[in-house]
Amino acid sequence: MAASTARPSSLRRSAGALALGVGLLLAGLQPAHAQSAAGSAPDDGFSELPRSEQDQKLQEQGLTRDDLAREDALKKLRSSTDTDFYSTPAQLPAANGGVVRSEPSTFYLDPVKLIKPNASATRIMYRSTNSKNQAVATTGTVLQSKAAWRKPGPRPLVVLSSGTQGMGDSCAPSRQMAMGTNYEGLSLAGLINAGYNVVAPDYIGLGTDGAHTYMNRVDQAHAVLDAVRGAQQLGMEGVDAKTPVAAVGYSQGGGATAAAAESAPEYAPEVQLKSAWVGAPPADLTLTGQHIDSSLFSGLSFYVMGAAEDSGVAVRDRLNAEGQRRYDKAQDSCLVGTVLSDALVPSEKLTADGRSFFQLLGDPALKAYLEEQTIGAAGRHPRVPVRIAHTVADDVVPYQSGRRLAQKWCASGVNVSMQTLATPTHVGASLEGIPSMLVYLDARFKGIPQTSSCWRL
């Protein structure tokens, strides 16, 4: 038992580097805050409020001036990022995962651009297939670690699926990496410092043509698996079709990772997937929708509505004029802006008939769409060991969502390890999850068998 939990020296060094990065990040951000926070106007009239009232409003909504600085930096992406790279060509490769184009990229951990991870970055566009069975172009970033690999066997490739970024094209993780505004930077740096090569998909429609199909189970699974295929085609040393692969992600990324793990046997059987770390997965969107209705994170409902609308479910016309205004704004916003704009707004004041958003989820067409996005349905399950990590005090994705997914997979014979994180809140647990993820991967790639939690679930 001790062998599976003890941290090797390489992980201690990674943790130390990660802690140092956090400290430098917080220190380096201060000048940016002073310059940008005062000029940020994330909500109507916000910038005109006295500073004390601004601070009070931010505190009520669980945000900080750090968040405003990040949002301000995101706005600059529209003019600073080469949009030509993200344009879909007239013809796509014949096979899923086929690389359309690639180019060297940059990756910073902070918007002041002081901290660069120990890896080379390559931006890629590759072919995938969406839930409508249409070929689409999507993008991502491949990070080749410069750290030594000292574990048994070849250096693995880890596909990290990002948590919720937003719906606007400027929110795409590959665009944000160059600006130092990707909040997944700490997870990516931890993986890189531990010696893993990493590929981080942007998801379908996030940065590229078309709407971002937020939390669409099939689209996210395909984008993740095809990102692995794309990375393996770049000709990088040690990254090819035989490379062992692990999948990790938290929140939206946890859902994408879970969907990819259970889709891999049929969609990408050649990918050498060895394990998956699934953090706070929104495996049941109806349950999550009820949890966030009229809460600090109620704006995320507009993201799900946008994906449903893209799939042919009429949702927008069920909102009143104010609801439609907020819906339209959310479809081109990043996460912080959406949270700040729509936090704690009673959803029954935004619908045409006075029902809450949760009550709208019971409408037949929308209910059917959401049920199709459920992860862990009969007949779908991973063929590899999986760790599900979730905090009981999650204020965004209810703990029962992760636990029920574990129970379903256990019933299908999957080796599932269920870890209950100790840190309160969704965001807090995401930080606790980073060292948990690194220890988990270290054990799997050292060949230590996973102990199942299914007996107690």
Side-chain angles (χ1 to χ4, degrees), residues 152-200:
R155 185 193 301 262
L157 174 67
V158 176
V159 53
L160 181 142
S161 300
S162 296
T164 299
Q165 305 289 322
M167 295 290 279
D169 283 342
S170 63
C171 315
S174 67
R175 293 179 182 238
Q176 295 192 55
M177 284 183 186
M179 295 292 289
T181 56
N182 187 346
Y183 68 75
E184 293 284 6
L186 295 178
S187 296
L188 291 166
L191 290 167
I192 290 166
N193 292 339
Y196 300 106
N197 292 323
V198 184
V199 57

Side-chain angles (χ1 to χ4, degrees), residues 29-38 40 64-76 111 181 336:
L29 277 172
Q30 298 306 315
H33 298 167
Q35 294 172 3
S36 63
S40 298
T64 67
R65 290 189 177 271
D66 294 358
D67 296 321
L68 298 191
R70 178 179 180 274
E71 188 72 8
D72 190 60
L74 286 175
K75 294 177 182 178
K76 299 176 183 177
T181 56
V336 172

Side-chain angles (χ1 to χ4, degrees), residues 166-405:
M167 295 290 279
D169 283 342
S170 63
C171 315
S174 67
R175 293 179 182 238
Q176 295 192 55
M177 284 183 186
M179 295 292 289
T181 56
N182 187 346
Y183 68 75
E184 293 284 6
L186 295 178
S187 296
L188 291 166
L191 290 167
I192 290 166
N193 292 339
Y196 300 106
N197 292 323
V198 184
V199 57
D202 287 341
Y203 302 130
I204 291 174
L206 190 55
T208 48
D209 293 342
H212 172 37
T213 51
Y214 180 74
M215 291 311 307
N216 182 297
R217 176 183 59 82
V218 173
D219 284 19
Q220 292 187 163
H222 290 183
V224 170
L225 295 168
D226 288 329
V228 173
R229 287 166 161 163
Q232 292 173 339
Q233 293 183 25
L234 288 178
M236 288 184 174
E237 182 180 357
V239 182
D240 55 36
K242 297 181 181 179
T243 299
V245 176
V248 302
Y250 187 89
S251 192
Q252 180 186 4
T257 299
E262 66 176 23
S263 299
E266 292 186 2
Y267 185 76
E270 84 284 2
V271 170
Q272 301 298 303
L273 186 65
K274 303 301 181 182
S275 65
W277 187 91
V278 176
D284 183 333
L285 295 185
T286 301
L287 187 65
T288 302
Q290 180 182 16
H291 199 57
I292 65 172
D293 192 9
S294 302
S295 74
L296 287 172
F297 299 93
S298 58
L300 299 182
S301 298
F302 290 124
Y303 293 175
V304 176
M305 292 178 188
E309 189 86 26
D310 181 72
S311 291
V313 180
V315 181
R316 186 181 181 277
D317 61 5
R318 301 178 193 181
L319 306 176
N320 60 23
E322 176 63 10
Q324 290 181 4
R325 184 189 72 80
R326 291 176 179 272
Y327 169 93
D328 293 341
K329 183 178 180 181
Q331 304 313 307
D332 194 38
S333 296
C334 295
L335 178 62
V336 172
T338 301
V339 170
L340 189 59
S341 295
D342 300 312
L344 301 176
V345 177
S347 62
E348 61 268 19
K349 294 185 178 181
L350 303 177
T351 60
D353 57 8
R355 289 185 294 164
S356 68
F357 283 172
F358 176 63
Q359 289 172 320
L360 286 183
L361 301 183
D363 288 357
L366 186 54
K367 181 180 180 181
Y369 171 79
L370 295 177
E371 287 179 349
E372 177 54 35
Q373 311 319 316
T374 299
I375 303 169
R380 295 196 303 264
H381 59 271
R383 303 293 197 274
V384 297
V386 177
R387 159 72 58 82
I388 296 179
H390 212 146
T391 176
V392 292
D394 198 313
D395 55 342
V396 180
V397 181
Y399 176 75
Q400 285 303 315
S401 177
R403 184 178 176 84
R404 289 175 186 174
L405 176 60

Side-chain angles (χ1 to χ4, degrees), residues 2-162:
S4 63
T5 57
R7 296 194 184 197
S9 59
S10 60
L11 275 182
R12 287 197 295 269
R13 287 193 295 270
S14 296
L18 197 58
L20 176 61
V22 173
L24 290 173
L25 176 59
L26 294 177
L29 277 172
Q30 298 306 315
H33 298 167
Q35 294 172 3
S36 63
S40 298
D43 198 10
D44 295 339
F46 178 85
S47 61
E48 299 175 3
L49 295 174
R51 185 179 180 89
S52 60
E53 293 185 26
Q54 290 182 358
D55 290 339
Q56 179 64 29
K57 187 170 184 178
L58 290 171
Q59 184 178 5
E60 290 173 353
Q61 299 179 352
L63 298 171
T64 67
R65 290 189 177 271
D66 294 358
D67 296 321
L68 298 191
R70 178 179 180 274
E71 188 72 8
D72 190 60
L74 286 175
K75 294 177 182 178
K76 299 176 183 177
L77 282 172
R78 297 184 187 277
S79 58
S80 65
T81 305
D82 179 12
T83 56
D84 289 342
F85 182 89
Y86 295 88
S87 299
T88 303
Q91 187 170 352
L92 295 175
N96 289 321
V99 176
V100 177
R101 60 177 70 104
S102 65
E103 65 180 21
S105 184
T106 56
F107 175 26
Y108 294 95
L109 286 177
D110 64 302
V112 186
K113 299 182 179 179
L114 295 177
I115 312 168
K116 291 186 76 172
N118 189 27
S120 60
T122 301
R123 189 165 50 179
I124 63 170
M125 173 180 279
Y126 58 94
R127 172 195 157 128
S128 190
T129 298
N130 64 18
S131 55
K132 303 172 187 176
N133 202 31
Q134 299 168 331
V136 294
T138 188
T139 49
T141 304
V142 181
L143 302 169
Q144 189 170 26
S145 176
K146 297 178 182 179
W149 177 253
R150 296 188 175 91
K151 299 178 182 66
R155 185 193 301 262
L157 174 67
V158 176
V159 53
L160 181 142
S161 300
S162 296

